[in-house]
Each structure stands twice: as C-alpha cells, then as structure tokens.
Amino acid sequence: MITLHNVTKTYGPVRALVGVTCSFRERSISVLRGPNGSGKSTLLSLLGTLARPTSGRVDHGDLGSDRASVRSTLGWVGHDSLCYPDLTGRENIVLAATLQGCPVDTAFALAARRFDLGAFADRPVRTFSRGQRQRIALARALIHAPRLILLDEPTTGLDATAIDRLRGVLIEEAARGATIVMSTHDDTFAGALSVAARREDIGGEVVALDRGRRVALDPPVA
C-alpha cells in the first residue's frame, strides 16, 4: 500500500496540492483525473520521489522509506520520453536493461513483442515520430518489471493499435502485482482499461483533483 497522508505541496505562492489523502494498492491500476493544473503531475512527482511534500507524508510501504529504495523498483514515463536521441531505440532499451541487471537479449525480445518494435527500433531516436518515441519510452520503463509504475499521459502520440497494446501490457503488469498510477485525458482508454481490469479482478482508484484538492467524482464511478 502506498499512501499520501494529508499532503500539501507548494511552489512559492502556488499550492499545487492541498490536503490530499489517497492510497494505491499492489495489483491495481489507478487513474488521476482533473483539468490541466489540477495537481496530477505533482502527485506523480511525490509518488516517484522527485518532490517532497511541504506538509503531510508519503508512505511507500514495503517499497522502502528512502529515495534509493523506491527508485530501484520504479518505472516512469512522463511528458518527455527522455530517450537518448542519438542512440537507437534498441540501444536505449539495452542500456536500461543493463543498468537494471536484466538479461539483455531476453529483455529486448519481450519489449519488442509487447510494443511492436519493428525495424524503426534500429534507427536513432531523433528520427522517430512522437508515437515511436513513446513506445520506446514505455518499453524502457517496464524493462525491469517495476513494482511501482507511474505514467503521465501514456497514450500521447500512440495510434489505436498501439493503445490497444498498451492496455494489454498494463493489465499484465498489474496482474503480476505492480501498482500502476497514471494520469490521462483519454477517457476512452481509461474506460476500456477499467473494464479490462475488472474482468481480471484487478483493483484501482479514481482520484479526481481540482485546483490541488481531491474532489468527488461527477458523475461518480459505479
């Protein structure tokens, strides 16, 4: 269980989060909802230890109580893919697998199957389309079977086929025990993912934010 206890986060005069309490369990897919500027990315940053609460507490449970422990089992894809542009897609994934101590050939083969990494993976990332970069970023983030997966608008740039693949991959990751928290404005994707998760008995929360505060869902989730 990962829990935010009455967390407030300020940046100077800006209150990005105000008194937010929520929990995320293992084997779950949770969705952060809200307009731009509502605090979704800040909440992900707190979960990923890139930021610390101004007040309140983030408890990462058995992932550990220090940054190094949490980050060792974290997979994260943000707005920017952060892939090395002059490396190929394959080299980006192989580098991540090497740093994580994963068998390189096996790890790349799995990534290529999951995200349909065709011949484009052997070109430099700087030549990729937005969707191709996103597929490499997602594959790289999941290469080490992380226990905590944070995704900020993961469908950005993806076509319908790639989105379907991503949905299947996230169900697989949650089914093996991962805690997944994502923000998305793609309601169709979020809805289909929720249906698939319930079918596999995978849990999850919907955390709605507005101007930094947790609010009731409208309409409420059944």
Side-chain angles (χ1 to χ4, degrees), residues 88-125:
T88 66
R90 182 189 297 268
E91 287 169 340
N92 270 276
I93 293 170
V94 166
L95 175 60
T98 301
L99 292 173
Q100 294 289 350
C102 302
V104 170
D105 291 341
T106 303
F108 181 78
L110 176 60
R113 176 183 63 78
R114 284 177 133 188
F115 292 99
D116 192 24
L117 307 182
F120 78 86
D122 289 310
R123 300 196 328 256
V125 167

Side-chain angles (χ1 to χ4, degrees), residues 25 50 74 101 159 173 180 188 198-200 215:
R25 298 179 180 276
L50 281 185
L74 174 65
D159 61 22
E173 292 294 313
I180 301 173
T188 300
R198 287 198 298 270
R199 190 182 305 128
E200 299 297 327
V215 296

Side-chain angles (χ1 to χ4, degrees), residues 99-182:
L99 292 173
Q100 294 289 350
C102 302
V104 170
D105 291 341
T106 303
F108 181 78
L110 176 60
R113 176 183 63 78
R114 284 177 133 188
F115 292 99
D116 192 24
L117 307 182
F120 78 86
D122 289 310
R123 300 196 328 256
V125 167
R126 56 181 165 75
T127 69
F128 286 4
S129 69
R130 181 66 179 89
Q132 289 170 335
R133 290 199 307 275
Q134 189 75 348
R135 284 152 67 184
I136 294 295
L138 288 162
R140 187 181 61 175
L142 303 181
I143 203 75
H144 56 302
R147 294 178 63 194
L148 174 60
I149 299 170
L150 305 177
L151 305 172
D152 205 347
E153 301 295 341
T155 61
T156 298
L158 299 183
D159 61 22
T161 299
I163 289 173
D164 284 345
R165 283 182 174 274
L166 174 60
R167 182 170 62 247
V169 168
L170 295 183
I171 292 297
E172 290 177 2
E173 292 294 313
R176 68 165 174 82
T179 301
I180 301 173
V181 185
M182 69 173 190

Side-chain angles (χ1 to χ4, degrees), residues 23-25 28-32 179-183 203-207:
S23 297
F24 307 101
R25 298 179 180 276
S28 69
I29 302 174
S30 297
V31 177
L32 308 179
T179 301
I180 301 173
V181 185
M182 69 173 190
S183 70
E205 297 288 330
V206 178
V207 177

